[in-house]
Amino acid sequence: MAPPTIPARRFCLVWLGALLAILAVVAGFDAAVDPYAVFGAPRLAGFNARKIAAAPQQRMAKTYEVERIRPVTVLLGSSRVDIGLDPASPAWPVAMRPVFNYGLDGMGLRQARAALMQAAATGRLRNAVLVLDPDLGGDAPAPPGPPDETERRLLVRTGGDGTALVPNPARRRQHLSDLFLSALSLGALRDSVRTVLGQDDPGAADLSPAGATGENRFRAWAAASGYHAMFAQKDAANAEKLAAAARWVAAHPDAAPDLGAVARIIAFCRAHGLRLVIIIPPVHEHLLNQIAAHGLADRFARWKAGLAALVPASDAAVQLWDFSGAGPYVSEPMPPPDDRHTMLRWFWDPTHFTRALGERLLRRVLGGPADGFGARLTAEVNTKADTRAGGKPQDVARAQP
Amino acid sequence: MLFNSYVFLLAFLPATLIGFHLTGRFGRDAALLWLIAASLVFYAWWRPLNVLLIAPSILINYAIARALLRVAAPRPRLARVLLLGGILFNIAFLGYFKYALFLTSVAHDVFGTNRLLTAVVLPLGISFITFQKIAFLVDVHGGRISRFSLRDYALFVLFFPQLVAGPIVHYREMMPQFHAAPCRCRAEDLAVGASLFCFGLFKKGILADQIATYVSPLYAAAAGGAHPALLDAWLAALGFTLQIYFDFSGYTDMALGLARCFGIRLPMNFNSPLRATSIIEFWLRWHVSLTRFLTAYIYNPLSLALTRRRLARGKAVIGRRTTPAAFVTLLLFPTLLTMFLSGLWHGAGYQYVLWGVLHGVFLCINHGWRLLRTRLWPKARRGTWPGTAAGFTLTFLAVVAAMALFRAPTVGTALRLWGGMAGLNGTTLPEAIYAHLGPLPAALGILPDWSGGAQSLEAWAWTAVLLAIALGLPNTLHLLAAHEPALGVKPQAGAGWLARRLQWTPSAAWAVGLAVLGAAGFLSLGRLSEFLYWQF
């Protein structure tokens, strides 16, 4: 039976009223759930405490979360940092807390500097930990250009000599746009529903107020696909990147690693009185072997030596630590293809280290005892850096327990 | 300005509707001038230069049409020259802006010339506008249009709902409506118009744009040199077919709805084309206004002239005793030429031309089969279910395969996709599924795919949903048939049970249901995307 008809004028009014009501309800629901932590809505257990949909929007989410945390220490780097370094670790001295994990998937140095500026603009920042992705050649520095979306979102931008901070005029418009789209977009609605329904999902990412999205995703992937699949996938991706880097290095054999972006971050920290710890992260022997197999070990060593040259031992405010050498942690054997039960202790894949290893790394950097894991590099001891980085695959194999 | 943009929905459309309603109180002239002004703003929004490019073209066409009107009867030869000049002017205008780059690249490829243009500003919707202007001149020359003013002509060309992506309209079906329209926003028209717009916005924002997120990376990978495996290649072809159908038919629904808000009915453009049981039927259901134009202004005149010539020479024509020569001259040649031009109209690239020619070949095979079938089995029953099913399957596969060529950025990309569809690049399954099938996949030569398993499954699920909608549900025109949603569309006696059951009425249930669709469409605007047909 056809529904009863109403006059066209009333139809239009009902339609418009329903449309506006639906949009208002959606906006209210999204703001209450706050899937990307943009509105700063209270986190209620069982409803929206775990921000399980925020990981793909982490650039936006972390930019606003850092303003609420106002950290004393900020962690910068790629997904290695996001996953592997715990901002709530007991290793952090009280004087360095609160710590905010500003690690972002694929974060480059331009973004790292932007994140550092944002953290500094919140007013309490004293320390920064920067974990670098190895530069093996061909990584063109981000060209100067108009501010991207992440930079438009910042509280500040640089002015004058490049280290002074001035209010960012693009911020207000970007903020309004973020609020609008976080309330009235299909993606936000879908993610709000996912957030509410997925509070008990143990395999979901969870953006904590301190910034880290955690290891849940990797743990779930490892359980579902096994480490063999995770390593195979990453090995394939790394092989492509390394092949491209090797081609670039072959075409530019004399090109020195471009360390300008790192130097600018160091200069920024010095100008703002921040203590900076730069970390060359641990990588699994799979990747070390691949680097050597592509003939990039020398390039890796030159990059590390170049970094070390930026850090004189006399400068107590800037430290460089190298965890990329061979050793028992990085040679943990991979389970066989059909094994979905064995859990690795130190790595999720050749690139991403676990929080357990991140914990060891933090303890070492924060003054823990030397146990052969990690070494401090300075301009004065870069010979050591050369030796360590030039390690061959056989050396790695020999170092296995 | 995009229909699916905040500035259009929240500012332009309300302002234009209110302005139209208010100026209507001062008479028709004021309301129509308001519409022209609003259309110019709409057209200039993206790039103001567009107006400077299109305005002189409108004035020149208008002047040629006036001259044609004066000389058509007393000096028919001069009128023919004027018409030819007008057509050439429009083709040259279109040719420069749309095809200059392509032609220089063809010259470069063929002759090795080095004169490569690097940039030409392409006025928005130029292909649609040019066809309408040519049709107008032909109609004036043919005596089918005898009275028009500059205001009417400008409104005919610029009316914003159909300005940039059609439907391609004729002057003689539009202006009588403008002259008869009450120039007020009537509740009946707003109800139907808003309903059509909600359907369109939902089709565009939810159905088309969502499948695009799965399909686009597959084409990008193939364009980058990857050889897609069987399932990925079919997903690319099938997914894009559904994407472009919901994209363009959604856009058309929005255009129909917008025009209806001003009391104007535009001609229909889509009538569930993927249900066609022959390629001839497909073109009677897909982009109908383009087919209508190509048939009326290219195919028919060419076919008619060739038929007359053969008759004058005493040769056989198409009929009961069609000879191969008659088939080639009167059917194959005009069809291929028309579809070649159709392909070229769609885009300045080899792949578009080949797509058009491929459809021309499909049409010729279809025509040839019909002639052959009549001759071989004159008493065979038509419309049996096995024949219909075979016709549907063949047509669907042909359309889907050709769409891969349409979407691919290069012919090489399309060849890689076709190779994948033919199974030449092997078969893979998402590892999560592969691992649960035991030794069977390996025995069949299927390999595990380590990347994007969940996405691949989502994409296939979404494709199945879209396919069910496209093939199983009544289309917008069927749902609103009782309210003439498009020019001349009336309820059909043979409408299916579902179409009768779901007939749109001005009811609270429909109002709320369409508000849900409209809200979903509005929410989809957050991720801006362009209509696929804006580039044509």
Side-chain angles (χ1 to χ4, degrees):
Chain A
M1 201 175 100
T5 60
I6 54 178
R9 188 184 174 83
R10 189 183 293 175
F11 175 92
C12 293
L13 290 174
V14 171
W15 170 77
L16 190 60
L19 181 70
L20 295 176
I22 291 167
L23 293 177
V25 168
V26 168
F29 177 65
D30 284 343
V33 176
D34 196 10
Y36 314 134
V38 169
F39 296 98
R43 293 182 180 233
L44 304 176
F47 178 63
N48 70 340
R50 299 179 66 217
K51 303 294 182 192
I52 67 168
Q57 297 290 344
Q58 54 187 274
R59 281 172 168 68
M60 177 172 72
K62 291 193 181 187
T63 305
Y64 293 119
E65 280 286 37
V66 77
E67 292 174 20
R68 295 184 198 108
I69 296 294
R70 299 184 61 230
V72 171
T73 302
V74 66
L75 311 179
L76 305 165
S78 63
S79 52
R80 290 176 162 102
V81 172
D82 180 39
I83 294 156
L85 297 186
D86 184 2
S89 164
W92 295 107
V94 174
M96 292 182 80
R97 298 178 192 174
V99 180
F100 188 80
N101 187 326
Y102 215 144
L104 298 170
D105 292 351
M107 179 186 257
L109 287 168
R110 175 173 163 172
Q111 284 179 327
R113 185 159 171 268
L116 179 62
M117 286 161 49
Q118 173 74 351
T122 61
R124 291 200 300 191
L125 193 70
R126 291 288 172 270
N127 313 287
V129 176
L130 172 64
V131 178
L132 296 173
D133 283 357
D135 178 2
L136 298 171
D139 287 344
D148 60 20
E149 191 180 287
T150 307
E151 290 163 338
R152 287 198 299 272
R153 198 171 277 136
L154 305 180
L155 290 166
V156 290
R157 64 180 177 83
T158 51
D161 62 352
T163 57
L165 296 178
V166 296
N168 180 9
R171 153 82 178 196
R172 175 184 285 270
R173 186 172 176 171
Q174 185 62 44
H175 189 210
L176 285 174
S177 170
D178 290 339
L179 291 175
F180 183 81
L181 291 178
S182 298
L184 277 172
S185 72
L186 200 63
L189 177 60
R190 186 191 58 218
D191 288 339
S192 291
V193 173
R194 274 185 58 208
T195 299
V196 173
L197 297 181
Q199 289 294 300
D200 298 328
D201 182 357
D206 174 16
L207 181 76
S208 73
T213 59
E215 298 180 294
N216 293 350
R217 283 173 299 168
F218 281 78
R219 193 171 291 116
W221 290 337
S225 306
Y227 282 93
H228 191 273
M230 292 171 73
F231 270 67
Q233 190 178 15
K234 203 68 186 175
D235 280 346
N238 284 335
E240 264 183 48
K241 282 185 199 166
L242 293 173
R247 284 194 296 275
W248 188 89
V249 170
H252 308 84
D254 300 323
D258 185 352
L259 297 164
V262 179
R264 278 191 289 277
I265 289 175
I266 292 173
F268 181 91
C269 288
R270 283 182 177 141
H272 290 267
L274 303 177
R275 183 169 165 261
L276 174 66
V277 177
I278 302 172
I279 293 172
I280 300 165
V283 292
H284 195 271
E285 68 173 28
H286 267 246
L287 184 51
L288 288 175
N289 288 343
Q290 278 186 306
I291 289 171
H294 282 84
L296 292 167
D298 285 345
R299 170 81 189 182
F300 192 21
R302 284 174 67 194
W303 175 70
K304 289 202 277 191
L307 281 175
L310 296 174
V311 187
S314 57
D315 188 349
V318 183
Q319 292 183 5
L320 173 64
W321 287 84
D322 181 12
F323 292 90
S324 67
Y329 295 123
V330 304
S331 54
E332 190 176 17
M334 187 177 60
D338 51 350
D339 183 352
R340 288 180 166 78
H341 301 292
T342 305
M343 300 295 283
L344 291 190
R345 194 170 173 197
W346 308 121
F347 280 91
W348 295 111
D349 61 35
T351 304
H352 295 100
F353 53 88
T354 62
R355 276 199 175 174
L357 188 56
E359 200 64 18
R360 304 217 163 203
L361 180 152
L362 286 179
R363 287 184 190 285
R364 180 79 180 97
V365 168
L366 296 171
D371 61 353
F373 179 52
R376 190 169 166 200
L377 304 183
T378 64
E380 291 74 17
V381 292
N382 73 42
T383 312
K384 187 181 175 191
D386 268 339
T387 310
R388 289 169 48 77
K392 296 179 179 122
Q394 302 91 294
D395 300 334
V396 173
R398 272 202 300 277
Q400 288 183 15
Chain B
M1 202 181 293
L2 291 164
F3 291 165
N4 62 331
S5 64
Y6 295 122
V7 67
F8 180 83
L9 290 175
L10 301 178
F12 178 84
L13 183 58
T16 305
L17 278 170
I18 292 168
F20 179 70
H21 191 73
L22 294 177
T23 52
R25 295 183 178 181
F26 300 100
R28 185 179 314 283
D29 288 349
L32 298 185
L33 285 173
W34 169 259
L35 269 185
I36 293 173
S39 297
L40 283 170
V41 171
F42 174 86
Y43 195 63
W45 190 262
W46 182 51
R47 190 190 288 149
L49 181 65
N50 281 330
V51 173
L52 295 178
L53 291 171
I54 211 74
S57 161
I58 289 176
L59 291 174
I60 291 169
N61 271 278
Y62 176 73
I64 294 172
R66 298 297 319 176
L68 269 175
L69 209 55
R70 276 199 306 276
V71 303
R75 303 177 67 184
R77 185 166 291 184
L78 178 59
R80 208 169 298 140
V81 171
L82 267 176
L83 174 65
L84 196 63
I87 292 173
L88 285 176
F89 166 74
N90 283 303
I91 289 175
F93 189 77
L94 176 67
Y96 174 73
F97 287 108
K98 185 160 181 174
Y99 299 107
L101 285 170
F102 177 56
L103 291 176
T104 54
S105 73
V106 170
H108 176 78
D109 293 345
V110 176
F111 304 112
T113 55
N114 289 320
R115 284 186 188 173
L116 276 172
L117 286 174
T118 51
V120 174
V121 176
L122 181 67
L124 221 52
I126 187 172
S127 307
F128 290 89
I129 295 169
T130 301
F131 269 20
Q132 288 188 186
K133 287 189 295 195
I134 290 174
F136 178 78
L137 291 178
V138 172
D139 286 350
V140 171
H141 178 260
R144 290 179 289 274
I145 299 169
S146 55
R147 293 179 60 192
F148 57 90
S149 65
L150 181 58
R151 184 204 68 188
D152 288 354
Y153 181 66
L155 185 58
F156 158 67
V157 175
L158 294 171
F159 184 47
F160 76 87
Q162 51 84 46
L163 177 58
V164 292
I168 299 168
V169 296
H170 292 282
Y171 184 88
R172 57 185 186 279
E173 68 191 3
M174 294 299 290
M175 290 329 291
Q177 293 191 67
F178 281 114
H179 291 154
C183 290
R184 299 278 171 85
C185 293
R186 294 191 307 185
E188 293 78 10
D189 287 331
L190 287 175
V192 174
S195 300
L196 283 165
F197 192 86
C198 285
F199 277 124
L201 190 59
F202 183 82
K203 284 160 82 172
K204 161 70 184 157
I206 304 296
L207 304 183
D209 286 359
Q210 293 300 312
I211 192 72
T213 60
Y214 301 114
V215 168
S216 298
L218 295 172
Y219 282 93
H227 290 75
L230 184 78
L231 291 179
D232 279 352
W234 275 100
L235 181 62
L238 191 55
F240 178 69
T241 304
L242 291 163
Q243 181 197 342
I244 194 170
Y245 167 62
F246 283 110
D247 187 285
F248 197 16
S249 72
Y251 171 85
T252 302
D253 286 348
M254 284 191 271
L256 293 175
L258 289 169
R260 185 60 176 267
C261 290
F262 298 94
I264 303 298
R265 290 167 175 82
L266 295 178
M268 77 164 163
N269 234 3
F270 288 90
N271 188 14
S272 299
L274 298 180
R275 292 181 209 167
T277 56
S278 72
I279 207 79
I280 294 172
E281 188 191 352
F282 173 80
W283 279 103
L284 294 173
R285 289 166 170 262
W286 177 275
H287 206 171
V288 176
S289 66
L290 174 67
T291 305
R292 187 176 63 156
F293 178 91
L294 294 173
T295 306
Y297 295 101
I298 298 176
Y299 181 86
N300 281 349
L302 183 61
S303 183
L304 199 63
L306 292 170
T307 301
R308 282 178 181 152
R309 184 183 289 185
R310 282 185 70 86
L311 282 172
R313 292 175 183 175
K315 293 180 177 175
V317 294
I318 300 288
R320 193 169 282 183
R321 289 284 161 206
T322 305
T323 62
F327 180 79
V328 168
T329 311
L330 302 180
L331 239 162
L332 192 139
F333 170 64
T335 301
L336 285 180
L337 181 68
T338 304
M339 294 311 290
F340 165 80
L341 292 173
S342 169
L344 197 60
W345 177 87
H346 274 89
Y350 293 115
Q351 71 275 31
Y352 295 112
V353 174
L354 285 175
W355 174 81
V357 171
L358 191 59
H359 267 279
V361 172
F362 292 160
L363 284 166
C364 291
I365 292 171
N366 198 171
H367 281 297
W369 165 248
R370 285 188 175 185
L371 290 170
L372 201 63
R373 185 184 60 183
T374 310
R375 190 170 293 182
L376 294 178
W377 300 284
K379 292 179 182 171
R381 235 165 29 97
R382 305 276 180 264
T384 58
W385 76 261
T388 304
F392 164 77
T393 307
L394 263 179
T395 305
F396 188 77
L397 293 177
V399 167
V400 168
M403 276 303 178
L405 181 61
F406 190 87
R407 171 63 175 79
T410 63
V411 177
T413 306
L415 291 176
R416 281 192 287 281
L417 280 162
W418 282 345
M421 291 168 80
L424 300 180
N425 304 333
T427 308
T428 60
L429 274 177
E431 197 275 336
I433 296 176
Y434 186 94
H436 291 95
L437 295 179
L440 183 67
L444 295 173
I446 299 172
L447 298 171
D449 179 6
W450 299 100
S451 60
Q455 264 221 323
S456 181
L457 289 177
E458 274 178 29
W460 276 108
W462 196 239
T463 301
V465 169
L466 295 193
L467 208 52
I469 294 172
L471 298 178
L473 288 184
N475 64 37
T476 318
L477 300 183
H478 293 149
L479 293 175
L480 285 112
H483 303 269
E484 199 180 354
L487 199 58
V489 170
K490 304 284 184 196
Q492 289 181 334
W497 173 84
L498 202 56
R500 288 199 307 277
R501 184 86 185 156
L502 292 176
Q503 270 298 305
W504 181 92
T505 56
S507 64
W510 267 110
V512 173
L514 286 162
V516 171
L517 295 189
F522 183 84
L523 292 174
S524 76
L525 303 184
R527 189 201 48 222
L528 281 173
S529 61
E530 291 192 339
F531 290 109
L532 294 178
Y533 259 71
W534 274 55
Q535 60 186 296
F536 302 127

